[in-house]
Amino acid sequence: MKKSKITGLLLAVVAGAGFFASCGSDDSSSGSGPEITKVWARTSPMETSLGAVYMSIASKDGDELTDVSVDPSIAAMAQIHEMVMATADTSMSMTSDAPSGEMVMQEVDSVVIDAGGSVDLKPGSYHIMLLELVAPLELGAKFDVTLTFSKAGKITVTAEVRDEAP
Amino acid sequence: MAGVVLPMLMILASCRSDASSMRGIVRDEPLQVGAVTLTDVTAEGEFADHGDLFTMRAQAGELLVMYFGYTNCPDLCPTTLAAVRTATKNLGDDGAKVDLAMATVDLERDTPEVLNGYLSSFSDHFHALHASSQDELEAAENAFLASSTVTKDATGKIEVGHSATAYVIDDTGSVLVEWPFGIDNKAMTNDLKILLEQISSNN
Ligand SMILES: [Cu+2]
């Protein structure tokens, strides 16, 4: 009983990611460059110097996000990160009593967007990590994030600081 | 294709608003954590300086949301804690009956000061828990079937792995529901409402 519920939930999460990814991919009309939407950053809790930026990237022709940056007045550094299940962990097995394995964060070189597809940078998956924030990210504030794509080159988008995803 | 359709149906099923159904994971035999204690370093908010040891039970007739995390976590921890904050707000006056506890898994970097400041961003009635030893932390994690790993690479860079479930506990130390990462504030609100109703009808 318990196990089937856990399995169902995980399947739903995986399928949900696929579902939302397939949504916005057909209606991009302007040009062939990546279409970037839902750009937001989380309010940074007190005592932390880290931030995270999220967005959805769709591309008709396919592209690859290879670099990210923000103005030094926002944070000292920006990196592309991904949350992954810890590889050495065995507790993720469906026969285990543990409802979840350990998640770790790792830096990645790039994010590939398949032609006609889209990738969500979202909690539990990819994020743009801001290191050494100059000041806390306050609700409602806005700042620019520059994305470098292997085909489209540099694209600057504006992130809005929010408590939760739009 | 069939493999896609089936989970899709599950999503639709789980989106239906059914006041009687819990959205998190409910075990047939709930985890019992009422005997678990952790060193309490709470220095701000309603529970400031309430003692040196916290026992994993809600206050009488209330609920406790417990999480194992760390403050240098920019993604999972604030996502879950922000959802808990919103869910608690959604409850209106009943939000006062839901307390938050977080035990850091990053004992070295998360000093009591850092932990208190961090949690004050998410609740004004929180318990900041900082095990006095790795053994104490692991004993607590084991009771929740949680785990964490802190590793330092050659350059001194610290990597933290942790299970990212939130637990809702009653005043006997019974874990009534477990929220795996990714459960949103609406689902949390749903579950908390059901549990608070159950508690008040039992009394
Ligand atoms: Cu990160």
Side-chain angles (χ1 to χ4, degrees), chain A residues 1-2 5-6 8-9 11-12 15-16 19 42 45-48 50 52 54 83 97-105 123-124 127 129 163-164, chain B residues 7-8 11 22 24-25 27-28 71-72 74-76 78-79 82 85-86 114 117-118 121-122 145 147-149 161-163 165 178 180-181 185:
Chain A
M1 191 62 201
K2 169 191 74 196
K5 178 137 195 204
I6 295 171
L9 194 81
L11 282 174
F19 176 66
R42 185 191 316 287
M46 283 168 65
E47 299 288 348
T48 58
L50 300 174
Y54 305 95
M83 301 303 302
D97 272 342
S100 63
E102 289 185 25
M103 300 280 287
V104 292
M105 180 167 68
H127 59 266
M129 174 117 135
D163 281 332
E164 293 200 65
Chain B
M8 287 286 298
I11 290 187
M22 297 286 288
I25 295 169
R27 290 177 191 265
D28 294 339
T71 69
N72 276 288
D75 189 63
L76 300 181
T79 297
R85 177 178 58 198
T86 303
V114 168
Y118 183 81
S121 294
F122 296 102
L145 304 179
S147 66
S148 62
T149 313
H162 66 116
S163 53
T165 298
E178 293 162 48
F181 176 77
N185 68 59

Side-chain angles (χ1 to χ4, degrees), chain B residues 29-41:
Chain B
E29 290 196 24
L31 299 175
Q32 299 298 333
V33 297
V36 176
T37 55
L38 270 173
T39 302
D40 190 334
V41 296

Side-chain angles (χ1 to χ4, degrees), chain A residues 7 19 30 81 86 111 123 132 146 151:
Chain A
T7 310
F19 176 66
S30 57
H81 283 191
V111 177
E132 294 174 49
T146 300
K151 285 189 197 167

Side-chain angles (χ1 to χ4, degrees), chain B residues 69-190:
Chain B
Y70 67 110
T71 69
N72 276 288
C73 169
D75 189 63
L76 300 181
C77 308
T79 297
T80 298
L81 295 176
V84 171
R85 177 178 58 198
T86 303
T88 308
K89 267 185 204 149
N90 288 345
L91 295 173
D93 289 346
D94 276 353
K97 296 179 186 164
V98 180
D99 296 331
L100 175 68
M102 178 170 126
T104 179
V105 301
D106 188 355
L107 299 180
E108 193 180 320
R109 286 185 296 178
D110 279 342
T111 62
E113 291 72 24
V114 168
L115 193 56
N116 274 280
Y118 183 81
L119 286 170
S120 69
S121 294
F122 296 102
S123 175
D124 50 18
H125 35 102
F126 64 85
H127 301 274
L129 309 177
H130 186 291
S132 57
S133 70
Q134 192 65 32
D135 285 349
E136 184 189 332
L137 174 63
E138 278 169 21
E141 287 177 331
N142 289 343
F144 286 88
L145 304 179
S147 66
S148 62
T149 313
V150 180
T151 49
K152 227 183 244 183
D153 71 11
T155 68
K157 192 172 162 262
I158 294 171
E159 184 182 89
V160 179
H162 66 116
S163 53
T165 298
Y167 309 84
V168 181
I169 306 168
D170 71 7
D171 56 13
T172 70
S174 201
V175 177
L176 303 178
V177 63
E178 293 162 48
W179 291 327
F181 176 77
I183 286 209
D184 66 14
N185 68 59
K186 291 192 192 74
M188 291 179 177
T189 307
N190 170 77

Side-chain angles (χ1 to χ4, degrees), chain A residues 80-92:
Chain A
I80 310 170
H81 283 191
E82 183 182 19
M83 301 303 302
V84 291
M85 280 290 166
T87 46
D89 185 66
T90 53
S91 65
M92 199 48 209

